[in-house]
Amino acid sequence: MKFDPLYHPYPACRVPAYAGKGMVATSQPLAAQAGLDILKRGGNAVDAAIAAAAALTVVEPCSNGIGGDAFALVWSGGRLHGLNASGPAPQGITIGAVKAAGHSRMPQFGPLPVTVPGAPSAWAELSQRFGRLPLSAVLEPSVRYAEDGFPVSPTAAWNWSRAYSLYSKELRGEAFRPWFDTFAPGGRPPAAGELWRSPAHARTLAEIARSGAEAFYRGGLARDIAAFVRGAGGFLSEEDLARYRPQWVDPISISYRGYEVWELPPSGQGLVALLALNILKGFDSLRPGEVDTYHKQIEAIKLAFADGQHFITDPQYMRTSVEALLAGQYAEQRRALIGDRAGLPEAGKPAGGGTVYLATADGEGGMVSFIQSNYMQFGSGLVVPGTGIALQNRGSGFSLDEADVNRLEPGKRTYHTIIPGFLTRNGGSEPVGPFGVMGGLMQPQGHVQALMNSIDFGLHPQAALDAPRWQWTGGRSVLVEPGFPAAAAQALSRLGHDIKYALDGGSFGRGQMIWRDPASGVLCGGTDSRTDGTVAVW
């Protein structure tokens, strides 16, 4: 991929980072340093990704945690491997049981939306299959951060404070007391630069490292988790944890302007990004910063989300196949719906048939695209006493409508927002690198914008991430960042888009990207200027 490393099309753009032996890009500097330390101790890109991911549960707990899910794309042995470490709904939960508890829709907080956490299984599975160092060594930096404490970074402190304000209003009852004891000691969240530590979190990480995550799913930690959730009125059981295993899956892809864009298959929403790009690749006149480009991108995302939210769920329950949705003829049908003015999206009829992202690369060709989340900042608001484990609320994404494809069912995985991405060329035989943008339904929109910035418009990774973003929020409504060109925003309004400038700049995602030069092996990386992140290099 050719780009000018000194080309800065936007005022806030920074220069990219370069390295030869290794690179770790994360949303928090201490986590990036943890991964780099592991590389320097002889670990590979997978070891570094696990170290950074575990560290992020400590240094950015407002976005992810031990009790969340994870997904990974790993380039190793000349090909791409996919890992789905998302957990299903408990076997004992039903729509009827949730309605009997007084709910007309899945609640956001409390024990009912708690699903089986998958993140610890991802660390153990990746370490066993691809890692070079023992898991105990790889998790050591995260244990140290939790035990000794660390100064909270600015963006994390801001998100932490927002979560505290929300949870203070929403969480009522003794079951939520451990959350406040853990994350708001002294009755308030930590401020930027203030030291925060969690010895219980350190003990749990050490136990996961010692047992290869067995204790979390089939040991003492599993008993503690299940007993606490069920005592709070939830359905997660020891049996749900014991039967859980992460799944190795085949990544899905489309060809896009000489490259292959890879995502994980459903129930993740990576398919939405591929659907949009499949539509957009049929337009040859797209230019950076032009109104027509923004218009077509927004309309393609609308159509992709309409299909995604109609069809995506646990693969066992999908109404159509991924292949049918990504078929060229179907993309043509959807592309033909894009006119000169803003439209309202509807799902088509194909033929039958609170998140952190990180990227790592080593000097031997290994590369990892990794993402994990507790969902909605700290998740369910439940922290298992004495463990530091904040449990996710991923089950809040289920529908209680029996006719909905994503309806709640025992043992089912819900529509999942967190998605890692990867780019290759030459038919998938040559890796370009990992990329990702976190942030709920912003994620596929961020994937499309960052990739087009890089592939279509020739921007280096840092510039591709720093470019002003837009975000479709439903109907004809589009939020744009404060730095979005005013003339373009006004022109889009004249085309029927309901454009609003965001007062809160935190909703446009935070991403990382690493590209490898095929001739020299030199790595070029960027990390989003919207966060505290850094690219640690060797």
Side-chain angles (χ1 to χ4, degrees):
M1 186 174 296
K2 295 181 179 179
F3 48 76
D4 182 352
L6 297 180
Y7 175 46
H8 294 262
Y10 306 103
C13 180
R14 299 175 294 179
V15 295
Y18 287 93
K21 292 187 176 182
M23 182 173 285
V24 182
T26 79
S27 57
Q28 213 281 350
L30 294 174
Q33 192 60 53
L36 186 65
D37 288 346
I38 291 301
L39 282 177
K40 290 186 173 182
R41 289 170 59 181
N44 58 21
V46 169
D47 294 318
I50 299 167
L56 281 164
T57 69
V58 181
V59 300
E60 201 174 312
C62 45
S63 303
N64 74 128
I66 299 173
D69 282 343
F71 295 86
L73 288 165
V74 179
W75 182 270
S76 179
R79 71 182 185 93
L80 196 61
H81 309 261
L83 181 66
N84 179 334
S86 65
Q91 288 291 335
I93 198 169
T94 63
I95 289 177
V98 176
K99 288 184 175 180
H103 301 282
S104 59
R105 57 183 299 175
M106 282 297 289
Q108 290 187 7
F109 306 112
L112 295 181
V114 174
T115 51
V116 176
S121 75
W123 306 341
E125 188 74 13
L126 288 167
S127 177
Q128 182 177 12
R129 182 165 180 180
F130 295 113
R132 184 175 295 161
L133 299 180
L135 188 60
S136 57
V138 172
L139 295 193
E140 190 276 331
S142 60
V143 173
R144 187 175 65 249
Y145 286 147
E147 181 66 39
D148 297 343
F150 66 94
V152 176
S153 53
T155 302
W158 184 74
N159 286 324
W160 208 318
S161 178
R162 290 179 67 207
Y164 176 77
S165 296
L166 175 64
Y167 285 20
S168 295
K169 298 175 183 176
E170 298 290 337
L171 306 187
R172 294 287 185 269
E174 191 60 29
F176 298 112
R177 176 50 48 193
W179 186 89
F180 291 96
D181 292 341
T182 302
F183 296 112
R188 63 173 180 81
E194 187 173 356
L195 291 172
W196 181 81
R197 59 192 296 268
S198 179
H201 197 136
R203 291 192 297 271
T204 295
L205 287 168
E207 183 65 9
I208 290 171
R210 183 199 62 77
S211 68
E214 279 295 301
F216 191 93
Y217 295 98
R218 289 162 284 278
L221 288 172
R223 289 191 294 273
D224 291 343
I225 294 167
F228 181 64
V229 173
R230 294 181 76 84
F235 292 87
L236 188 68
S237 69
E238 286 188 58
E239 292 74 20
D240 292 318
L241 292 162
R243 68 166 56 96
Y244 177 72
R245 299 291 189 285
Q247 296 179 345
W248 289 102
V249 296
D250 293 326
I252 58 176
S253 70
I254 61 161
S255 175
Y256 185 81
R257 307 200 195 284
Y259 296 87
E260 297 80 39
V261 182
W262 296 87
E263 302 275 357
L264 287 174
S267 60
Q269 64 174 345
L271 177 58
V272 172
L274 297 185
L275 288 167
L277 288 169
N278 224 20
I279 294 170
L280 288 163
K281 73 180 184 182
F283 297 115
D284 296 325
S285 58
L286 302 181
R287 300 289 184 271
E290 291 189 355
V291 174
D292 183 62
T293 297
Y294 290 130
H295 172 69
K296 287 185 168 65
Q297 287 178 323
I298 293 167
E299 293 301 292
I301 276 291
K302 288 181 185 178
L303 294 168
F305 263 116
D307 281 340
Q309 293 177 348
H310 185 71
F311 293 112
I312 292 175
T313 188
D314 188 314
Q316 299 179 69
Y317 300 87
M318 282 184 65
R319 294 167 173 160
T320 190
S321 69
V322 170
E323 291 76 17
L325 287 164
L326 293 179
Q329 184 177 2
Y330 184 62
E332 290 178 11
Q333 295 173 14
R334 303 298 271 165
R335 189 180 305 120
L337 298 176
I338 297 178
D340 295 333
R341 294 188 59 80
L344 291 174
E346 293 183 1
K349 296 181 180 179
T355 303
V356 291
Y357 173 79
L358 64 94
T360 64
D362 58 39
E364 302 168 22
M367 307 181 88
V368 179
S369 183
F370 188 97
I371 196 164
Q372 67 186 18
S373 174
N374 268 14
Y375 200 42
M376 297 183 184
Q377 299 171 316
F378 285 91
S380 66
L382 296 181
V383 172
V384 182
T387 69
I389 299 171
L391 294 167
Q392 65 182 357
N393 58 342
R394 186 59 61 175
S396 63
F398 281 117
S399 171
L400 298 186
D401 180 353
E402 294 281 2
D404 195 303
V405 70
N406 198 46
R407 64 188 175 274
L408 173 66
E409 297 190 47
K412 182 180 182 181
R413 287 178 167 89
T414 185
Y415 179 109
H416 222 293
T417 58
I418 62 175
I419 51 173
F422 203 91
L423 192 66
T424 65
R425 58 186 146 205
N426 294 332
S429 64
E430 184 180 298
V432 177
F435 67 91
V437 176
M438 51 194 118
L441 297 179
M442 179 65 204
Q443 292 183 55
Q445 304 187 59
H447 280 210
V448 168
Q449 292 175 65
L451 271 185
M452 290 186 68
N453 288 341
S454 192
I455 295 173
D456 293 71
F457 310 145
L459 303 186
H460 60 69
Q462 189 61 56
L465 292 167
D466 283 346
R469 293 182 188 145
W470 52 265
Q471 179 183 181
W472 175 68
T473 59
R476 295 186 176 90
S477 298
V478 181
L479 282 177
V480 296
E481 290 189 294
F484 192 87
Q490 293 167 4
L492 288 169
S493 294
R494 291 193 290 271
L495 297 180
H497 298 280
D498 181 11
I499 302 293
K500 289 184 174 62
Y501 275 89
L503 300 178
D504 180 350
S507 65
F508 291 89
R510 304 173 296 153
Q512 281 78 39
M513 184 182 291
I514 298 176
W515 295 156
R516 184 190 298 275
D517 182 87
S520 65
V522 168
L523 304 167
C524 179
T527 186
D528 212 303
S529 59
R530 298 165 182 84
T531 187
D532 303 317
T534 190
V535 182
V537 298
W538 184 26

